[in-house]
């Protein structure tokens, strides 16, 4: 264009004399139209739990979420059915821990299901949910509307992480509940003989199962924090999901290499399978405590990283 | 625009606002002044920096330098108290395809802590009604047409009573009927006292509703003011009929004008945009006559706003990059 064109100064005060009287300095101005009159609520922001509720409802209204939970629930069902069919032809040998106890007590189906799912299936589903948190909103373009609502970047991250942790719990429960149900149906229940040799009743053993589910959910919460951070780095949700999943697998491989033994206690996967302590009488909380400390460290570090990245990020999606 | 006292009357004020992407300057030292209660057209061809400006204004992206004030409050510092008063449509609508239109609005409304939960359902219904989407409220957004999504995006901006609406290309994807509806919606909102900041690459889409406009070209502000002011500065056009066309061309060049055509091809006619506002037609005529140019015809035509816009931003695909 020609460089001589000159900007015309807008003579603001002359153009709209009536606007000068407006209460522009108040954070929330009064009525702006007939659509809705100003209410006291307009001035006092709510605590903001509604967004968390909305986040959970969006998460659990997605077909994908239910498909993943169903797939997880199918793991113990598959195990129970196979064991049941094989048991008729003679006892099994070897296999994952707890497998041999299944025929004596159906509740062990749940434990076997967890042991089988922990290395891959569970981290995979958590990676999908955690990797989707921010990148998914960016990919849909809804991130810009959440932020201009304004949701607040810290609040949005907290809500997203909270929902991911809820999914961790749901994922562990899906396996435990499905395992307990199918095990009871196919093998029945009775008093459970613990690893320590003691025997506990059905009620107590259900409590132990829930404790194990909580342990697994806690183990996954660290991975969810890592996924949250990776999710703030990209606008492509699939990329964040895949990176998180690969990280979980690679970490387990590193954890299996004796040459890197010095590193093992620092890996977030280190205590993933150490929930057997919860099946002793009396309960040994050592592994739980160590795992909680480790996961807490990962959660703190990666949530902080996610915030430092996200709070200054240009949202251009 | 930085004079004391003016800020209070401005809904949006930017000074020296610059946004760089790597080495590319998307927006360069932008000084916008959007008066309270105005319908402000933010014009410019695709890629001229409109959306980037809006993103920086609303705190989605950080400015490389310069500052933004909305209602006199510094952004993004006061984002949490300012944004609840601002409804926005940015770079087209965006929704969760697997949720219905109403659920989408419900979801986005929960993100605003100032939006009361008690009235949420009613406000969502009213916003949908206002854009004519009541019949599709429970349809999944996946099944919406582009125009319906655009309307839903506008409905999202109207979930709460707003002091300021920022609408980025609100008529994109709408049919002529929809475009008319958006126009009348903007008019009625402005009538209620809402300041409307509406961006467009098409002058014709906003010309009828705006009280003010700014024109962007390649990241720079090239004009700003009331529509009348823009028309007035709008380049008038001078055309001269003369047997001494070549001499006339030379005189016009000497006066600092940029006459069309080259020296070779004159047919008794020379025309030029009057791109030096201080140069009066009578002085040009006098200069021509003094140089011995015989004048057969001398016509000064005021350009339309459309001409002015094209002149500022380039024509067709020939836009400044
Ligand atoms: N995310 C981005 N990264 C790099 N350059 C960008 C990005 N977004 C926009 N731009 C550049 O900034 C300029 C202005 O773009 P934009 O603000 O979208 O223009 P408009 O909205 O007026 O069409 C363009 O040249 C575009 O290429
Ligand atoms: Mg744009």
């Amino acid at each position: 264009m020609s460089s001589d064109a000159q900007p015309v100064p807008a003579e603001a005060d002359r153009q709209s004399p009536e606007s000068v009287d407006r209460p522009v300095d108040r954070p929330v101005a009064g009525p702006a139209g007939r659509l809705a009159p100003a209410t006291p609520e307009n001035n006092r922001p709510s605590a903001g739990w509604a967004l968390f509720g909305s986040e959970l409802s969006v998460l659990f209204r997605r077909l994908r979420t239910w498909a993943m939970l169903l797939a997880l629930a199918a793991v113990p069902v598959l195990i129970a059915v196979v064991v049941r069919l094989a048991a008729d032809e003679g006892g099994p040998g070897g296999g994952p821990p707890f497998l041999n106890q299944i025929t004596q007590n159906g509740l062990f189906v749940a434990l076997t299901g967890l042991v089988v799912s922990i290395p891959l299936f569970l981290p995979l589903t958590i990676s999908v949910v955690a990797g989707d948190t921010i990148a998914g909103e960016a990919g849909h373009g809804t991130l810009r509307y959440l932020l201009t609502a304004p949701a607040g970047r810290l609040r949005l991250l907290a809500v997203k992480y909270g929902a991911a942790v809820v999914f961790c719990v749901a994922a562990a429960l899906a396996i435990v509940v499905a395992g307990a149900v199918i095990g009871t149906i196919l093998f029945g229940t009775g008093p459970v003989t613990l690893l320590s040799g003691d025997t506990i009743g059905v009620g107590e053993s259900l409590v132990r199962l829930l404790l194990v589910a909580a342990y697994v959910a806690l183990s996954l919460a660290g991975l969810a924090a890592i996924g949250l951070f990776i999710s703030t780095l990209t606008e492509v949700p699939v990329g964040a999901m895949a990176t998180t999943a690969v990280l979980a697998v690679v970490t387990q491989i590193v954890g299996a290499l004796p040459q890197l033994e010095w590193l093992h206690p620092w890996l977030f996967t280190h205590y993933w399978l150490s929930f057997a302590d919860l099946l002793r009488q009396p309960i040994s909380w050592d592994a739980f405590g160590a795992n909680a400390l480790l996961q807490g460290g990962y959660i703190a570090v990666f949530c902080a990283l996610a915030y430092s990245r996200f709070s200054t990020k240009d949202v251009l999606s | 625009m930085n004079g004391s006292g003016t800020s209070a009357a401005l809904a949006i004020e930017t000074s020296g606002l610059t946004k760089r992407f790597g080495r590319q300057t998307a927006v360069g030292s932008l000084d916008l002044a959007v008066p309270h209660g105005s319908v402000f057209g933010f014009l410019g061809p695709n890629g001229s920096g409109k959306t980037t400006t809006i993103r920086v204004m609303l705190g989605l992206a950080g400015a490389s330098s310069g500052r933004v004030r909305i209602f006199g409050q510094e952004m993004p510092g006061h984002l949490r108290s300012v944004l609840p008063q601002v409804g926005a449509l940015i770079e087209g609508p965006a929704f969760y395809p697997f949720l219905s239109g109403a659920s989408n609005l419900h979801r986005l409304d929960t993100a605003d802590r100032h939006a009361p939960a008690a009235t949420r359902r009613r406000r969502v219904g009213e916003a949908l009604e206002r854009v004519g989407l009541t019949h599709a409220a429970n349809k999944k957004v996946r099944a919406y047409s582009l125009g319906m999504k655009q309307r839903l995006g506008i409905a999202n901006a109207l979930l709460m009573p707003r002091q300021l609406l920022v609408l980025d290309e609100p008529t994109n994807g709408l049919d002529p009927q929809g475009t008319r509806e958006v126009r009348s919606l903007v008019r009625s909102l402005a009538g209620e006292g809402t300041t409307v900041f509406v961006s467009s690459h098409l002058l014709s889409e906003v010309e009828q509703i705006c009280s003010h406009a700014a024109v962007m070209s390649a990241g720079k502000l090239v004009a700003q003011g009331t529509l009348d002011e823009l028309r007035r500065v709008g380049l008038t056009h001078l055309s001269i009929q003369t047997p001494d066309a070549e001499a006339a061309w030379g005189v016009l060049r000497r006066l600092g004008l940029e006459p069309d055509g080259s020296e070779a091809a004159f047919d008794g006619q020379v025309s030029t945009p009057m791109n030096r506002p201080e140069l009066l037609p009578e002085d040009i005529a006098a200069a021509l006559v003094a140089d011995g140019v015989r004048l057969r015809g001398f016509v000064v035509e005021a350009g339309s706003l459309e001409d002015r816009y094209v002149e500022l931003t380039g024509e067709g695909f020939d836009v400044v990059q």
Side-chain angles (χ1 to χ4, degrees):
Chain A
M1 65 134 279
S2 71
S3 52
D4 308 56
Q6 287 163 8
V8 181
E11 289 166 53
D13 17 16
R14 190 169 58 77
Q15 287 309 319
S16 48
E18 80 287 355
S19 64
V20 177
D21 301 327
R22 261 193 225 171
V24 288
D25 289 322
R26 265 195 286 139
V28 173
R34 57 173 172 76
L35 213 138
T39 52
E41 296 96 301
N42 282 4
N43 295 316
R44 239 177 293 119
S46 63
W49 284 100
L51 183 59
F52 186 58
S54 157
E55 182 62 34
L56 287 181
S57 109
V58 169
L59 179 62
F60 286 100
R61 259 194 282 180
R62 286 193 86 159
L63 212 58
R64 188 180 74 190
T65 307
W66 287 105
M68 290 192 299
L69 290 178
L70 275 179
L72 288 173
V75 171
V77 172
L78 183 75
I79 292 170
V81 169
V82 169
V83 169
R84 174 83 235 196
L85 294 178
D88 298 338
E89 300 156 14
F98 309 118
L99 190 63
N100 292 328
Q101 283 102 313
I102 286 181
T103 46
Q104 287 125 54
N105 194 318
L107 293 181
F108 279 100
V109 173
L111 291 177
T112 315
L114 281 177
V115 170
V116 168
S117 308
I118 280 174
L120 189 62
F121 285 159
L122 276 170
L124 214 56
T125 58
I126 303 311
S127 299
V128 168
V129 171
D132 200 42
T133 46
I134 299 298
E137 299 285 355
H140 280 126
T142 41
L143 186 55
R144 61 179 182 268
Y145 290 112
L146 287 172
L147 291 182
T148 52
R153 298 196 182 206
L154 179 58
R155 177 164 160 252
L156 185 61
L157 269 185
V159 161
K160 285 288 181 184
Y161 184 64
V165 169
V166 169
F167 182 81
C168 292
V169 173
L173 280 180
I175 295 175
V176 166
V177 171
V181 169
I182 191 76
T184 307
I185 292 171
L186 293 187
F187 306 105
T189 53
V192 174
T193 306
L194 293 173
L195 301 179
S196 53
D198 302 87
T199 303
I200 55 171
V202 175
E204 163 102 48
S205 55
L206 284 177
V207 171
R208 297 290 176 102
L209 268 187
L210 289 180
L211 265 182
V212 172
Y215 182 95
V216 172
L218 173 68
S219 296
L220 296 170
L223 178 64
I226 296 172
L228 179 76
F229 169 59
I230 294 174
S231 193
T232 61
L233 301 177
T234 172
E235 284 161 17
V236 188
V238 180
M241 295 174 194
T243 310
T244 311
V246 166
L247 205 65
V249 171
V250 168
T251 306
Q252 290 179 83
I253 293 172
V254 170
L257 297 176
Q259 289 83 353
L260 295 173
E261 192 140 17
W262 54 272
L263 188 60
H264 291 177
W266 300 97
L267 301 177
F268 62 90
T269 54
H270 188 59
Y271 298 105
W272 273 14
L273 288 166
S274 314
F275 55 76
D277 280 0
L278 297 173
L279 304 174
R280 295 179 204 285
Q281 188 76 312
I283 293 184
S284 156
W285 293 96
D286 293 353
F288 205 110
N291 193 23
L293 201 63
L294 181 70
Q295 301 301 334
Y298 269 92
I299 292 168
V301 168
F302 280 91
C303 284
L305 281 176
Y307 180 67
S308 76
R309 162 72 184 155
F310 188 54
S311 61
T312 54
K313 182 183 179 165
D314 276 1
V315 174
L316 300 169
S317 55
Chain B
M1 282 302 108
N2 297 326
S4 58
T6 56
S7 312
L10 294 177
I12 307 173
E13 181 189 18
T14 74
S15 45
L17 186 67
T18 302
K19 179 66 184 176
R20 278 183 288 270
F21 293 115
R23 275 189 287 115
Q24 187 198 2
T25 302
V27 177
S29 37
L30 180 62
D31 297 313
L32 271 184
V34 179
H36 246 299
S38 63
V39 176
F40 195 98
F42 192 42
L43 294 163
N46 291 324
S48 58
K50 304 183 296 296
T51 302
T52 303
T53 303
I54 289 171
R55 282 183 193 279
V56 174
M57 262 169 22
L58 300 180
L60 289 173
S64 304
S65 63
R67 45 173 215 141
V68 179
R69 282 163 168 267
I70 297 185
F71 309 130
Q73 300 193 63
E74 208 75 38
M75 291 287 279
H78 291 85
L79 189 144
R80 284 205 291 173
S81 60
V82 168
L83 287 188
Q85 309 172 65
V86 181
L89 177 72
I90 312 147
E91 181 106 274
F95 294 101
Y96 308 93
F98 50 89
L99 293 183
S100 71
S103 304
N104 264 291
L105 292 190
H106 204 275
R107 153 85 167 160
L108 289 172
D109 195 60
T110 60
D112 180 0
R113 289 171 59 194
H114 292 266
T119 55
R120 187 162 291 141
R121 182 186 276 277
R122 176 173 61 80
R123 287 183 293 107
V124 166
E126 282 171 356
L128 285 168
E129 193 182 332
R130 200 138 195 207
V131 298
L133 274 182
T134 308
H135 65 284
N138 296 315
K139 223 176 178 180
K140 294 248 189 300
V141 166
R142 187 181 290 126
Y144 274 31
S145 71
L146 179 58
M148 289 163 82
K149 284 183 196 153
Q150 193 75 14
R151 288 161 191 256
L152 192 60
I154 296 172
N156 172 49
L158 300 177
L159 279 173
M160 288 282 285
R162 311 288 193 187
Q163 291 282 300
L164 170 66
L165 274 181
V166 176
L167 302 175
D168 191 11
E169 313 250 4
T171 54
N172 251 4
L174 293 183
D175 49 23
Q177 168 71 19
T179 304
R180 261 200 305 280
E181 283 169 21
V182 167
R183 262 191 225 124
S184 83
L185 184 66
V186 167
R187 263 194 214 106
S188 81
L189 288 163
E192 291 164 20
T194 308
T195 306
V196 185
F197 183 84
V198 53
S199 90
S200 179
H201 63 279
L202 292 173
L203 172 71
S204 56
E205 304 235 302
V206 293
E207 188 179 2
Q208 305 166 27
I209 50 172
C210 290
S211 58
H212 296 68
V215 181
M216 295 284 288
S217 176
K220 292 254 185 274
L221 186 68
V222 289
Q224 173 170 226
T226 66
L227 238 48
D228 286 339
E229 283 170 324
L230 288 176
R231 275 200 199 93
R232 223 175 302 139
V233 185
L235 285 204
T236 42
H237 222 80
L238 170 64
S239 57
I240 304 165
Q241 269 91 50
T242 170
D244 310 317
E246 217 175 298
W249 192 86
V251 173
L252 292 178
R253 293 286 297 184
R254 210 176 59 228
L255 290 172
L257 296 172
E258 292 163 4
D260 309 332
S262 64
E263 280 173 87
F266 299 122
D267 192 18
Q269 166 129 6
V270 183
S271 61
T272 176
M274 302 265 283
N275 54 356
R276 290 188 54 200
E278 76 284 2
L279 194 63
L280 299 173
E282 49 267 42
D283 297 333
I284 299 175
L288 286 166
V289 172
D291 258 49
V293 175
R294 294 163 295 167
L295 291 176
R296 193 179 290 149
F298 188 92
V299 182
V300 182
E301 278 173 327
S304 67
L305 205 53
E306 184 78 47
D307 293 339
R308 171 83 174 126
Y309 178 54
V310 168
E311 195 180 288
L312 286 169
T313 59
E315 199 152 0
F317 291 114
D318 176 35
V319 291
V320 190
Q321 280 301 319

